[in-house]
Amino acid sequence: MEELAERVADALREKYGEETLVGVSYYHEDGVGHVYRSEWAAEKYDPEEVDEIVQDLRFEALGHGAHEQRHREGLHATVRVYDELIDVVVPITEFEGLAFALSNDGEYTVRNVVSLVETVVEESDVERTALDHPSGE
């Protein structure tokens, strides 16, 4: 997951610029990791706070399968919009995923950002699986 997160960070930086990217992290069954944190984020959040934020996102992601089942379609990402940033979680499997944050004042649409990240995932060796198998009922 770390290598994939680094690829995502590179793609986001290249497409939207260093000034827009706030941070890129990943989570898996054993915990969380981080591959990028902007100067702004480093000033605003202690490293332990970032760990806690991503850990919370990791635990919340365990419920993503229920959303897929309820809606009977795949969940591509969850997004939270705050005063100064947005955070996005892209689930990869039931227990693994990517989390990243972008500045609110960047020139992007959330859908385009998620599409870019999904393209990076598709081009990687990491297999993205359904979080839950929708019943189709």
Side-chain angles (χ1 to χ4, degrees):
M1 287 306 296
E2 182 175 4
E3 182 180 326
L4 179 58
E6 288 173 355
R7 289 182 187 177
V8 165
D10 291 342
L12 291 170
R13 239 188 326 267
E14 182 178 319
K15 179 77 174 178
Y16 301 108
E18 190 87 24
E19 63 282 350
T20 298
L21 188 58
V22 174
V24 179
S25 301
Y26 60 93
Y27 60 89
H28 49 78
E29 289 184 47
D30 297 326
V32 302
H34 315 284
V35 298
Y36 176 77
R37 190 161 70 139
S38 70
E39 287 182 29
W40 177 85
E43 291 173 9
K44 184 169 174 104
Y45 302 103
D46 292 328
E48 297 80 20
E49 289 177 299
V50 177
D51 284 350
E52 290 172 3
I53 289 168
V54 178
Q55 193 71 266
D56 288 346
L57 295 172
R58 173 183 167 230
F59 289 130
E60 289 173 14
L62 293 174
H64 286 168
H67 293 292
E68 280 193 346
Q69 190 172 39
R70 192 170 303 116
H71 289 274
R72 295 186 204 107
E73 57 184 304
L75 177 65
H76 295 264
T78 58
V79 179
R80 289 188 179 79
V81 180
Y82 297 97
D83 293 336
E84 297 179 292
L85 61 84
I86 69 163
D87 68 27
V88 181
V89 176
V90 176
I92 303 299
T93 69
E94 185 177 358
F95 300 105
E96 299 176 309
L98 304 167
F100 57 92
L102 302 171
S103 170
N104 261 350
D105 58 8
E107 296 292 321
Y108 59 84
T109 66
V110 172
R111 185 64 219 154
N112 288 344
V113 169
V114 171
S115 291
L116 173 65
V117 171
E118 288 182 317
T119 298
V120 172
V121 172
E122 288 169 11
E123 292 173 352
S124 76
D125 294 336
V126 174
E127 183 178 343
R128 190 170 190 192
T129 61
L131 305 175
D132 199 324
H133 299 286
S135 64
E137 295 177 27

